[in-house]
Amino acid sequence: MRGTPALVLSLLLLAAWASRASPQEANVDSPHGELAWDLDCSACHSPDGWSPVKAEMEFDHDEDTAFPLLGRHTETTCGACHLGLRFDEPRVSTWDCGACHVDVHLGNFTDNCAGCHNALSFNDVVGLSIHARTAFPLTGAHLQLTCESCHIDDRGGAYSALDSDCRSCHTVDYEGSLSIDHMALSFSTNCEDCHNTLGWGGGPFNHLAASGSFDLLGTHTFLRCEACHVMPGFATRHEPAGQNDCYACHQQDYQAKHASSGFPTECLQCHDQNDWEAAVILAVEHDAIFPIFSGPHEGSWMDDCGVCHTVPNNQQVFSCLNCHEHAQDQMDQKHLRVDGYAYVSTLCYDCHPSGKKEG
């Protein structure tokens, strides 16, 4: 056959060229891109076919890459992150969450998602501690609010920064207050001057500074404003001359208890501002001078100071003779041998300071 030598020669030349070609030039390029590590196809594939991959791969994502798989990432398929199974992309670090995840916060927070989130769930966050790192830590009644109560215009977790000034949220409360007309009285719009986050009723209101002379002490701290003021204009019901002028406000209390007793109208001589009924000051101080709450005079004066103190509002004047019905001639006879004796109450006290007969 005339064409046979030519065909044989062509086949021999083709075989010689193929034998000189390198294995790399003969192989097809990897569909996974240029990998940064020395990885053989058999590490993931089997001779039976490219797919499915081997159940136990010789490749360890945690050890062989800069991105350990944690939390939900362990459940993610390769193609979810490596689009087109290009394992040379994406080139990200463990904190570069934004390379794969859309920032629903619209750049309002830090770029480090791990500062608030974890790899288990985006919703697994501790809002209180996160808010504590902002300019408006949540305290008091704010702890009971939902995020949407304040972030009313935010959707999908945008949570843009809000004005931390109280009035930015509580303008309606300020302008619509019925018990105290804040606007008519030109109250400060800095709510923290009078209130705190626990409730509108309590706060650091400085009554002494506002009134100019009257600090709220003792039981006064528990009174409602209406007890002393006509609302909503805050006109005072009484006009005390100062902090210690109890009588101006408590005249009815005095008249009900002490109208005929001769007690002084300086209430603080006997009472304190914590409890009207506990006249501790009187008991301690009077017994130190002359015992009437103990000793032979205990219970004998019937809570009527006028028995001994005959001049109202002057407790320095007293008489022993109104109670002890002595005849002066008899007393004179008994005290014949007593130097300096006279039928005078102050001299009786000099010899009988404890109220006892023997002195």
Side-chain angles (χ1 to χ4, degrees), residues 100-308:
C100 297
H101 299 282
V102 175
D103 181 10
V104 298
H105 304 307
L106 305 179
N108 292 317
F109 294 157
T110 175
D111 292 335
N112 183 11
C113 303
C116 301
H117 301 279
N118 57 50
L120 293 174
S121 171
F122 280 123
N123 296 325
D124 186 14
V125 296
V126 183
L128 180 60
S129 62
I130 294 172
H131 227 289
R133 300 196 294 269
T134 71
F136 194 86
L138 297 179
T139 59
H142 293 143
L143 292 171
Q144 304 175 36
L145 300 178
T146 63
C147 302
E148 293 78 11
S149 298
C150 299
H151 297 278
I152 55 177
D153 296 326
D154 294 328
R155 294 293 182 270
Y159 296 137
S160 56
L162 301 178
D163 188 350
S164 60
D165 181 72
C166 302
R167 196 180 178 187
S168 65
C169 292
H170 296 288
T171 300
V172 174
D173 298 301
Y174 177 90
E175 295 178 351
S177 176
L178 298 177
S179 60
I180 301 175
D181 193 338
H182 288 51
M183 296 188 68
L185 296 169
S186 299
F187 272 30
S188 169
T189 56
N190 183 13
C191 306
E192 292 180 339
D193 287 348
C194 303
H195 304 283
N196 57 40
T197 59
L198 294 175
W200 292 121
F205 175 64
N206 191 332
H207 194 278
L208 178 62
S211 65
S213 62
F214 199 93
D215 198 4
L216 296 180
L217 305 174
T219 54
H220 293 138
T221 60
F222 303 107
L223 296 178
R224 295 180 59 85
C225 302
E226 294 86 341
C228 301
H229 297 275
V230 179
M231 308 305 289
F234 262 80
T236 54
R237 298 182 184 276
H238 311 284
E239 295 295 336
Q243 182 70 47
N244 297 328
D245 184 13
C246 309
Y247 186 74
C249 298
H250 295 282
Q251 184 174 352
Q252 290 185 352
D253 299 305
Y254 176 90
Q255 293 297 332
K257 291 282 188 178
H258 308 311
S260 61
S261 66
F263 273 36
T265 56
E266 291 79 19
C267 305
L268 292 178
Q269 288 189 23
C270 301
H271 302 278
D272 62 30
Q273 299 188 63
N274 293 313
D275 185 1
W276 281 119
E277 301 302 326
V280 178
I281 297 176
L282 173 63
V284 173
E285 293 189 355
H286 202 294
D287 272 22
I289 299 172
F290 186 81
I292 60 172
F293 294 93
S294 61
H297 288 84
E298 180 181 3
S300 64
W301 53 285
M302 303 299 293
D303 292 338
D304 186 354
C305 296
V307 172
C308 300

